[in-house]
């Protein structure tokens, strides 16, 4: 990993430097509105962005002066923002997919524990992630952050708390203003485009040393903690690993990291993309999720017995992953492009097998001591909404425990030699999501109906586009 550089500090008169009281020096989060006002004032913040993830994980919200934010202003968004596609279109209504008749307001409720600066803005700006409630103040069940909170509540009812650690892969690509042309790796500090085969290469990381310094700098300013950073197999493909912790906090961090990495890349005149499969014949980008469950009262790992052996809950959790994750794949691989990654011979599992330290399986159990026993879900792609991916994965494991689903025997050899055991496209994945009765009890019918309707709308939009493959092979041959 490249050495951290100490940024140059401009000479600023002492009278102009804000004084931050010791109890407000945290880069991320405050306890209440009084502290929020003090935190913002101490940093000279002029504007604040109140943001929330839509179904795609895209930040939506409002920007306002700090004085308005701290004056108990009511913030609202139309309910329709949770019913449009990634291209901004609104699908036709069906029997199950309906619009709110009045398109009434949903309210933004700032979660002050997420308050942080926006380090790439030139004017002093802060940001805060918001939850969504209706006019009566009740949580809106189909919004991503609330859905993950719902799954957390199901674990809490059993006296448990999930612990997760995401790993996010992404590509750096040269700027591309014409979508008809393929993407290409950018030029690094050597002046040449980086090639593939750079897995874990320090030289590959050093090609983008200054950009990575900005990622670290932006992250530190927001209170986001990177565990490790590596170069992956694809050309200019990087991976960031986050420290394990609370699923809501980690989903928030992935949500913010995506934005941070894109902004750092744009500062250097290139793009960062979290598309699952941005370049033909190159490996796709995943968002692997490490998962364990602890007893809230004792802090002990539920997957481990007192003698250090794996518990029955551990095996049921794996059984649930095998049984239910394929039916939830639309939440882990949410776009047509996602299924281009889930293909044979592309360094990606195309099965629902599990195994010990076996990267060809969908569900890998890493080598660890008993208290760190966990299950890694290797199926999610980096284009997934982190809140929905975590909700789907944790819900699947919990259903396995609730329904006592036994797993298969662990796979000892490669699990990618046989047929593909997963949906091969978005429409099939949507149908499987809708057809699984158990998901209604954990995810809720409202979410499933809205999500499936939006995804079908996206597929229909995709079908209107004629691809280069069709022009290449059909134009003169059929």
């Amino acid at each position: 990993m490249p050495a951290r550089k100490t940024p140059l500090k401009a000479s600023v008169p002492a009278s102009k430097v804000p004084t931050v009281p010791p109890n407000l020096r945290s880069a991320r989060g405050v306890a209440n509105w009084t502290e929020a006002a003090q935190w913002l004032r101490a940093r000279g913040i002029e504007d604040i962005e109140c943001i929330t993830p839509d179904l795609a994980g895209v930040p939506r919200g409002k920007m306002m002066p700090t004085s308005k934010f701290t004056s108990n202003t009511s913030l609202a968004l139309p309910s329709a923002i949770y019913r449009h596609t990634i291209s901004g279109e609104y699908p036709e209504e069906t029997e199950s997919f309906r619009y709110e008749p009045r398109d009434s307001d949903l309210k933004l409720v700032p979660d002050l524990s997420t308050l942080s600066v926006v380090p790439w803005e030139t004017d002093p700006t802060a940001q805060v992630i918001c939850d969504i409630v209706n006019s009566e103040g009740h949580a809106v069940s189909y919004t991503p952050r609330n859905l993950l909170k719902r799954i957390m509540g199901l674990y809490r009812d059993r006296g448990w708390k999930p612990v997760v650690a995401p790993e996010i892969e992404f590509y750096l690509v040269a700027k591309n203003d014409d979508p008809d042309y393929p993407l290409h790796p950018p030029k690094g500090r050597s002046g040449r485009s980086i090639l593939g085969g750079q897995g874990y290469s320090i030289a590959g990381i050093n090609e983008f040393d200054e950009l990575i310094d900005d990622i670290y700098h932006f992250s530190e300013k927001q209170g986001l903690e990177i565990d490790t950073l590596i170069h992956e197999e694809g050309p200019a493909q990087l991976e960031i690993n986050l420290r394990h912790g609370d699923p809501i906090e980690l989903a928030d961090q992935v949500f913010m990291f995506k934005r941070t990495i894109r902004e750092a890349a744009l500062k250097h005149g290139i793009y960062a993309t979290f598309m699952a499969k941005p370049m033909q014949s190159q490996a796709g980008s995943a968002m692997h999720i490490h998962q364990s469950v602890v007893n809230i009262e004792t802090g002990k790992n539920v997957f481990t017995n007192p003698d250090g052996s794996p518990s029955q809950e551990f095996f049921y959790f794996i059984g649930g992953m095998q049984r239910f994750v394929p039916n939830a794949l639309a939440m882990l691989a949410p776009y047509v492009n996602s299924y281009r990654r889930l293909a044979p011979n592309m360094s990606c599992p195309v099965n629902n097998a599990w195994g010990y330290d076996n990267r060809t399986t969908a569900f890998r159990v890493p080598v660890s001591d008993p208290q760190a026993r966990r299950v890694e879900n290797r199926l999610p792609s980096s284009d997934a909404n982190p809140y929905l991916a975590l909700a789907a994965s944790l819900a699947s494991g919990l259903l396995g425990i609730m329904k006592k689903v036994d797993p298969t025997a662990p796979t000892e050899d490669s699990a990618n030699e046989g047929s593909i055991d997963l949906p091969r496209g978005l429409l099939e994945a949507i149908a499987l999501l809708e057809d699984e009765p158990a998901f209604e009890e954990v995810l809720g019918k409202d979410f499933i109906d809205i999500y499936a309707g939006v995804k079908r709308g996206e597929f229909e939009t995709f079908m209107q586009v004629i691809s280069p493959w069709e022009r290449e092979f059909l134009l003169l041959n059929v």
Side-chain angles (χ1 to χ4, degrees):
M1 189 181 301
R4 297 281 300 279
K5 292 187 175 74
T6 302
L8 297 176
K9 295 183 179 178
S11 178
V12 180
S15 60
K16 299 290 185 180
V17 178
T19 301
V20 181
N23 65 320
L24 299 175
R25 288 177 183 167
S26 171
R28 185 174 185 81
V30 294
N32 52 53
W33 281 98
T34 300
E35 284 192 6
Q38 295 171 345
W39 189 97
L40 294 165
R41 187 167 53 251
R43 289 163 175 77
I45 299 296
E46 299 173 2
D47 300 301
I48 187 159
E49 301 171 350
C50 298
I51 59 175
T52 195
D54 68 5
L55 288 185
V58 174
R60 307 283 178 181
K62 294 185 175 182
M63 175 181 276
M64 69 194 66
T66 301
S67 58
K68 188 173 182 181
F69 175 73
T70 56
S71 63
N72 200 26
T73 298
S74 179
L75 304 171
L77 294 175
S79 62
I81 70 164
Y82 290 99
R83 291 168 172 84
H84 67 62
T85 66
I86 191 67
S87 56
E89 296 170 322
Y90 293 89
E92 294 291 329
E93 286 190 330
T94 65
E95 184 178 341
S96 57
F97 174 73
R98 313 294 293 180
Y99 292 93
E100 204 278 329
R102 297 173 298 156
D103 192 19
S104 56
D105 278 343
L106 302 177
K107 293 185 178 181
L108 291 162
V109 179
D111 181 343
L112 297 179
S113 71
T114 68
L115 182 66
S116 67
V117 299
V118 183
W120 50 85
E121 290 287 354
T122 53
D123 295 328
T125 305
Q127 60 193 336
V128 65
I129 298 174
C130 300
D131 285 315
I132 302 295
V133 301
N134 60 21
S135 57
E136 287 79 39
H138 300 136
V140 178
S141 61
Y142 54 78
T143 59
R145 206 166 186 258
N146 285 337
L147 183 70
L148 181 53
K149 286 186 174 183
R150 173 177 175 152
I151 302 304
M152 294 286 290
L154 296 177
Y155 277 90
R156 190 166 53 250
D157 291 344
R158 290 174 168 260
W160 297 343
K161 179 180 178 179
V163 177
V164 300
E167 303 170 349
I168 313 107
E169 297 171 349
F170 61 96
Y171 273 90
L172 301 174
V173 297
K175 278 192 171 181
N176 177 303
D177 59 3
D178 189 336
D180 277 338
Y181 286 89
L183 299 173
H184 298 285
K187 292 180 180 179
R189 66 175 185 172
S190 66
R192 303 180 68 180
S193 293
I194 196 167
L195 301 176
Q198 296 288 324
Y200 292 89
S201 166
I202 298 300
I205 292 177
N206 287 338
E207 280 289 293
F208 305 101
D209 194 16
E210 292 185 359
L211 187 158
I212 291 168
D213 280 349
D214 279 332
I215 292 175
Y216 278 123
H217 177 69
F218 288 168
S219 299
E220 185 176 1
K221 289 288 186 182
Q222 297 171 89
L224 304 175
E225 187 175 1
I226 297 172
D227 194 18
T228 59
L229 184 147
I230 65 169
H231 196 291
E232 268 290 351
E233 284 298 320
Q237 185 187 30
L238 305 180
E239 176 184 286
I240 281 180
N241 299 334
L242 306 183
R243 291 182 61 83
H244 65 272
D246 176 84
I248 297 291
E249 293 178 9
L250 268 298
D252 287 344
Q253 289 197 41
V254 175
F255 177 56
M256 299 309 302
F257 263 121
K258 285 188 173 185
R259 190 178 187 211
T260 298
I261 292 164
R262 288 193 188 99
E263 291 290 341
L266 285 172
K267 179 181 174 183
H268 292 268
I270 60 178
Y271 293 153
T273 180
F274 295 87
M275 282 179 65
K277 185 76 167 181
M279 288 187 278
Q280 186 173 322
S281 302
Q282 298 293 344
S285 291
M287 181 173 65
H288 300 152
I289 302 171
H290 292 253
Q291 308 156 102
S292 59
V293 180
V294 298
N295 183 296
I296 294 174
E297 186 176 336
T298 66
K300 299 294 185 181
N301 191 336
V302 173
F303 291 167
T304 298
N305 290 320
D307 64 0
S309 62
S311 68
Q312 187 61 63
E313 286 81 6
F314 170 73
F315 292 111
Y316 285 155
F317 187 94
I318 293 173
M321 300 285 284
Q322 290 188 293
R323 166 64 181 82
F324 294 105
V325 163
N327 289 65
L329 198 63
M331 297 169 67
L332 311 176
Y335 303 103
V336 172
N337 180 261
S338 310
Y339 297 84
R340 302 191 191 282
R341 167 183 166 260
L342 295 169
N345 305 315
M346 278 296 157
S347 303
C348 175
V350 290
N351 55 72
N352 68 337
W354 77 281
Y356 293 100
D357 199 21
N358 187 340
R359 283 186 169 83
T360 71
T361 60
F363 313 117
R364 168 178 171 257
V365 178
V367 176
S368 69
D369 61 54
Q371 190 54 28
R373 182 172 279 114
R374 61 195 185 276
V375 181
E376 178 192 14
N377 184 352
R378 297 178 58 80
L379 289 178
S381 48
S382 63
D383 57 1
N385 180 325
Y387 301 93
L388 299 187
L390 285 170
S393 192
L394 292 172
S396 296
L398 182 60
L399 282 170
I401 295 173
M402 292 166 59
K403 298 180 182 299
K404 295 181 169 50
V405 179
D406 288 314
T408 65
T411 300
E412 302 292 341
D413 300 314
S414 173
N416 277 344
E417 299 299 327
S419 60
I420 297 176
D421 299 322
L422 302 170
R424 289 296 291 128
L426 184 59
L427 284 184
E428 183 184 350
I430 295 167
L432 287 174
L433 178 68
E434 292 177 307
D435 291 344
E436 179 48 67
F439 283 154
E440 282 197 20
E441 58 184 291
V442 293
L443 302 176
K445 189 176 189 312
D446 282 350
F447 167 76
I448 294 171
D449 288 347
I450 291 172
Y451 190 75
V454 168
K455 290 299 153 185
R456 283 202 173 90
E458 288 175 352
F459 181 82
E460 293 305 321
T461 302
F462 168 79
M463 289 300 290
Q464 296 172 17
V465 179
I466 309 302
S467 70
W469 185 94
E470 292 162 276
R471 291 190 289 270
E472 176 73 17
F473 296 106
L474 303 183
L475 181 66
L476 301 178
N477 292 331
V478 298

